Amino acid sequence: MKLLLTDSGIKNASIQDALVDLLGKPIAESSALCVPTAGYGAPDADPGGPWRFISGRSPSPMTDLGWKSVGVLELTALPSIEKALWGSWVREVDALLVNGGDALYLCHWMRESGLADLLPSLSDTVYVGLSAGSMVMTPRIGENFIGWKPPTGGDTTLGAVDFSIFPHLDHPACPENTMAEAERWAARIAGPAYAIDEQTAIKVADGVVEVVSEGRWKLFQ
C-alpha cells in the first residue's frame, strides 16, 4: 500500500499535497472509506469521538477534505458480514482514512476482521492514518502508549513499516510528550523511530520513506 501516516490528519498544505500525490488525482475525484474503530478503544474514549471523526467535525481533518464520496467501515462489524462483500467495498475506494484512539485495540480488530490480511494486496490504495491509525502500521508502539491490552499481551502492531512513531510531540493536550520523553521511549524501541508533531506526516511509497513537515520532528536510529 501507499501510506500517509499523520499525527493529526491533513493539517497543512504540505501534507495535503503529499496525499494528492499518492492518490494520483484530486481529492474531489477520489473515494474513501473511514475506519472509526480505534476511537472506541482508548481508556478515555467516548462515543462522540468516532462521530466527530466520521462527520468531519474533528480538529484532525480527514473526512472533510472534499472527497467525491466517503463511507464508513466499522471493523467490529466485519466478522458478521461476508468477506466478499466488504472486501469489494475496500477494493473499490481510493483511500482508507483510519481514525486515532488506541493502536492496540485497532490492531486487534484489524486482525480479527481480516482487514490486516487484505491490506498487502491493495497496491493502489492510499492508507491515511491518524495518530493510532498511523502507529498500528509500525512494528510496536512502546510501553508509553499501551492503553487497551490485547489478549496476547505485548505492544506489537502490524509491522507494515520498519519504524515506530511517537506522536503528538509537544502538543498542549499531551504535556508528557516532550522530546526528552521521546528520546527515552526511542531508547527502548528496537529499530528506527520518529517523533512527530501535529504538522508532520510520514509518506511511504514504493519503499521510500519521506517526512512531510511544516513543524517539528526527529528520527532516532
Side-chain angles (χ1 to χ4, degrees):
M1 296 186 75
K2 295 174 282 188
L3 308 177
L4 188 61
L5 306 178
T6 81
D7 177 273
S8 299
I10 312 303
K11 295 288 281 190
N12 57 52
S14 297
I15 298 175
Q16 182 157 326
D17 287 346
L19 173 57
V20 173
D21 181 62
L22 290 172
L23 289 168
K25 57 184 175 181
I27 294 172
E29 298 176 11
S30 304
S31 58
L33 287 175
C34 71
V35 181
T37 308
Y40 294 104
D44 59 350
D46 69 85
W51 178 81
R52 288 188 292 272
F53 172 74
I54 292 168
S55 65
R57 301 192 184 193
S58 163
S60 302
M62 291 282 272
T63 63
D64 53 338
L65 301 174
W67 300 93
K68 180 176 69 174
S69 66
V70 179
V72 179
L73 188 75
E74 173 47 57
L75 301 186
T76 60
L78 298 190
S80 61
I81 302 172
E82 288 291 334
K83 186 173 182 179
L85 177 60
W86 68 256
S88 69
W89 302 341
V90 174
R91 290 188 181 91
E92 288 169 3
V93 297
D94 300 298
L96 295 177
L97 313 177
V98 185
N99 193 20
D102 192 283
L104 293 179
Y105 182 79
L106 175 60
C107 185
H108 172 78
W109 280 107
M110 288 181 83
R111 287 173 170 149
E112 285 290 306
S113 67
L115 181 61
D117 293 331
L118 182 61
L119 292 180
S121 69
L122 305 176
S123 58
D124 294 326
T125 308
V126 181
Y127 178 104
V128 188
L130 160 63
S131 189
S134 297
M135 297 168 74
V136 74
M137 303 302 279
T138 71
R140 55 183 297 215
I141 61 171
E143 293 182 3
N144 297 54
F145 302 107
I146 295 177
W148 184 86
K149 294 179 173 60
T152 55
D155 70 331
T156 58
T157 34
L158 296 181
V161 296
D162 64 358
F163 55 82
S164 296
I165 296 174
F166 183 100
H168 311 310
L169 180 66
D170 296 330
H171 196 284
C174 304
E176 69 279 10
N177 286 17
T178 63
M179 186 63 81
E181 184 56 31
E183 290 178 1
R184 288 188 286 268
W185 164 86
R188 300 188 293 267
I189 291 283
Y194 290 90
I196 62 174
D197 71 359
E198 66 176 352
Q199 298 294 329
T200 302
I202 302 171
K203 175 184 175 185
V204 184
D206 298 323
V208 177
V209 178
E210 176 187 351
V211 176
V212 180
S213 181
E214 295 183 14
R216 189 177 185 213
W217 64 277
K218 185 172 182 178
L219 170 61
F220 302 97
Q221 292 181 305

